[in-house]
Amino acid sequence: MKLTFALILALQVSVCVWAQEWPQPDKELVEEYEGLKAVFFKRIVNAWEKTKAALQPTIEGSPTGDQAKQILEELSKRPRVESAIKIIGGLASDMEPMVDKARMALLGAYGHYLRPHIGEYLDRAITNIKPVLDTVLPHEG
C-alpha cells in the first residue's frame, strides 16, 4: 500500500513538473536557432556527400564492396525491412509535434533563465568556431 501511494505521488509530481507552462522563446532566438540548425544540417550533408564521393571508387573496385552492396540490396527487398522502415517513418512523423513542443520549451527556458547569464559567451563561442568549421566542415559545396 505504501509503495503504491509513493508511486502515485511520484507520478503526480512528475506530471505537475511537465504540465507547467514554460516561457515562450523570443522570435529572434527561434530564428537564430533555426538558422544555426539549417547550417549544421548542411554541413553534415556536405560532409556525407564528400565522404561518399571519396569512398565510392574504392568500394566499387573491391570484392567486399560488391558483396556489401548485394547484401544491402537483398535486405531492402525483404518485407520485414520495408515494414520496419514504414513504422519508423510513421513514428517519426507522429513524434514531430511533441519534439517541436519540447524544443520550444527548452528554447524558452534557455531564453528566460540562461541567456541573460551565458548568452553573450555562447554567441561569442559560436562566432569564433564558425571559421574553423568553415575550414574543416564547410556548409557549401
Side-chain angles (χ1 to χ4, degrees):
M1 182 73 168
K2 289 180 183 179
L3 183 60
T4 305
F5 179 72
L7 180 62
I8 291 171
L9 184 63
L11 287 172
Q12 182 67 31
V13 168
S14 66
V15 168
C16 288
V17 168
W18 287 108
Q20 75 178 3
E21 284 296 318
W22 291 90
Q24 291 296 317
D26 297 336
K27 185 178 179 183
E28 177 261 332
L29 178 63
V30 173
E31 289 173 357
E32 184 177 346
Y33 169 78
E34 292 295 331
L36 289 172
K37 184 174 82 168
V39 169
F40 175 75
F41 283 128
K42 284 180 187 176
R43 289 181 194 280
I44 297 296
V45 167
N46 191 21
W48 171 252
E49 293 297 324
K50 284 185 178 181
T51 303
K52 192 168 75 170
L55 292 178
Q56 194 165 5
T58 307
I59 291 174
E60 285 180 358
S62 71
T64 308
D66 293 336
Q67 188 177 17
K69 194 175 186 179
Q70 289 175 353
I71 290 171
L72 287 175
E73 287 175 1
E74 289 176 21
L75 279 176
S76 66
K77 293 178 184 175
R78 291 188 179 177
R80 287 185 179 177
V81 173
E82 288 177 359
S83 63
I85 289 171
K86 287 179 184 177
I87 290 171
I88 291 170
L91 284 175
S93 64
D94 288 346
M95 296 289 289
E96 191 172 340
M98 207 167 32
V99 170
D100 285 339
K101 185 176 179 181
R103 183 181 299 131
M104 288 301 129
L106 286 173
L107 279 174
Y110 165 75
H112 185 74
Y113 299 112
L114 294 176
R115 195 172 191 196
H117 305 290
I118 64 169
E120 184 180 325
Y121 302 112
L122 185 60
D123 189 45
R124 196 174 319 139
I126 290 170
T127 303
N128 288 338
I129 200 145
K130 277 183 183 179
V132 175
L133 286 175
D134 287 339
T135 304
V136 176
L137 201 63
H139 62 89
E140 295 175 0

